[in-house]
Amino acid sequence: MSDVARLAGVSIKTVSRVVNDEPAVHPDTAERVVAAIEQLGFRRNLGARNLRRGSTTGTIGLVVEDVGNPFYSELNRAVERIATSFGRHVLTGSSGENSDRERELSLEFCARRVDGLLIVPAGLQHGYLVPEMRAGTPVVFLDRPAGDIVADTVLVDNLGGTIEAVGHLVRHGHRRIAFLGDSPDIFTAAERLRGFREGCVRNGISYDESLVAMQTPTPETVGHAVRKLIGGPNPATAVIAGNNRVAVHLLRALAHAERRPALVSFDDFELADLLDPPVTVIAHDVSALGHAAAELLFARIQGDQSAPRKVVLPVHLVARGSGEAAL
């Protein structure tokens, strides 16, 4: 500040007023100070300024599974839109579905004094966040709930969506319906499997364990499951993909198959409407998920002390062709 004051020909107090956007500085003087700052190449240390003022850091933390997944990219954008409207920036990290990495990222964001945390949890133990929450850092879980603490949570209707997918396929004549899901340790995968079971019961068809495959989706695991489910003398005539990544691997595995089952995917994905046939999906608004979670977080940041909330957002079936193939 002394260097800037010397170059601009003003007092240190005037420099302080300019960098802190305080009134009572003549525009010409402010312009001179800003020019001196730019000439010297200085940048404000916002963290130091905020610590001195005892104010917020102007950031929130977002922990997701994988920022490379289009689902989480869209979620991130939605959170950023809300954060920007509150004058905040978003720090984002990927847990890689690893609970240790989730904990590491969350505590690192807290060490950086973020104003709040949004977490798509990878694990089931979140007691490590209790001291941070007691110290005043609000936390909102989204897409999946916390494992062992009570906290704000924003979910989508995983159960109802899969029930609807089963009913849709049954109405088109299918009774041997397979379900390909992600690892059963993941909340959304387990809930969608539960919806599949419930959908079978509600629609009067048998739940057949041999038509279910639950594992981390890769081209190899999904390809193996597809060969097992649609091969043999009594194959599945329809398949429900448990998420967008399962659906993409499934479509690759079916690319050269002689027999293609009807398909419904939970989660929409890019170009799904342009394939042949276009893919029927259980869709939900990912932006709405991010918006709802971020708005709840900022309500807490601004002092909302009400009891923890659980918000469940609706889903809807989009019929495009692949799920309407008759038996």
Side-chain angles (χ1 to χ4, degrees):
M1 290 178 69
S2 297
D3 293 342
V4 171
R6 265 195 307 273
L7 183 59
V10 299
S11 68
I12 292 177
K13 182 61 177 175
T14 298
V15 175
S16 177
R17 285 174 176 160
V18 171
V19 298
N20 289 298
D21 299 320
E22 294 178 7
V25 179
H26 192 279
D28 291 342
T29 303
E31 187 176 337
R32 211 161 61 244
V33 171
V34 171
I37 291 170
E38 291 179 352
Q39 183 176 336
L40 292 169
F42 290 154
R43 296 291 181 270
R44 279 185 293 183
N45 186 322
L46 295 176
R49 184 187 72 165
N50 290 329
L51 285 172
R52 183 180 178 187
R53 289 180 168 184
S55 60
T56 69
T57 60
T59 59
I60 63 170
L62 171 62
V63 179
V64 299
E65 179 198 344
D66 178 10
V67 294
N69 186 325
F71 175 91
Y72 293 112
S73 299
E74 187 174 348
L75 187 73
N76 192 101
R77 286 196 298 269
V79 170
E80 284 184 335
R81 283 193 290 270
I82 299 299
T84 299
S85 72
F86 282 93
R88 303 304 206 284
H89 296 285
V90 181
L91 306 178
T92 307
S94 300
S95 69
E97 208 62 80
N98 182 298
S99 58
D100 291 335
R101 177 61 176 162
E102 173 216 300
R103 183 180 187 275
E104 178 187 346
L105 281 169
S106 299
L107 293 180
E108 174 64 23
F109 287 152
C110 289
R112 292 174 182 271
R113 297 187 60 167
V114 293
D115 300 336
L117 272 177
L118 293 165
I119 301 176
V120 178
L124 298 175
Q125 296 180 340
H126 296 96
Y128 68 87
L129 287 168
V130 171
E132 307 296 339
M133 296 167 71
R134 286 177 178 164
T137 303
V139 179
V140 176
F141 291 86
L142 63 162
D143 195 42
R144 310 166 187 173
D148 56 356
I149 62 173
V150 178
D152 291 317
T153 308
V154 182
L155 310 172
V156 300
D157 187 6
N158 298 289
L159 185 73
T162 322
I163 291 172
E164 185 176 4
V166 175
H168 185 75
L169 291 169
V170 169
R171 286 191 293 274
H172 285 83
H174 299 279
R175 300 190 69 79
R176 286 192 58 76
I177 303 172
F179 182 83
L180 269 64
D182 209 323
S183 169
D185 295 332
I186 299 172
F187 170 81
T188 49
E191 282 294 282
R192 291 170 190 179
L193 176 59
R194 190 161 72 92
F196 176 68
R197 287 197 190 100
E198 179 67 22
C200 290
V201 172
R202 290 193 187 187
N203 289 278
I205 63 174
S206 299
Y207 172 75
D208 187 343
E209 194 71 44
S210 69
L211 295 179
V212 174
M214 301 288 290
Q215 54 199 325
T216 301
T218 67
E220 293 74 27
T221 60
V222 174
H224 175 75
V226 168
R227 288 190 293 274
K228 176 184 173 185
L229 294 171
I230 69 170
N234 194 20
T237 63
V239 180
I240 297 173
N243 63 32
N244 57 355
R245 288 180 303 173
V246 173
V248 170
H249 294 317
L250 173 60
L251 288 165
R252 286 199 175 107
L254 291 173
H256 303 294
E258 295 181 6
R259 192 164 32 185
R260 297 193 61 169
L263 169 63
V264 177
S265 169
F266 202 118
D267 295 338
D268 205 349
F269 56 95
E270 191 174 5
L271 303 181
D273 57 330
L274 298 180
L275 297 173
D276 183 21
V279 179
T280 295
V281 298
I282 299 294
H284 54 92
D285 191 337
V286 180
S287 291
L289 179 66
H291 285 166
E295 287 171 347
L296 183 50
L297 182 69
F298 279 105
R300 299 303 190 189
I301 291 172
Q302 293 179 324
D304 184 348
Q305 297 293 321
S306 61
R309 303 176 202 167
K310 178 181 177 181
V311 179
V312 180
L313 301 178
V315 300
H316 62 281
L317 186 139
V318 181
R320 292 182 177 139
S322 69
E324 292 68 58
L327 180 65

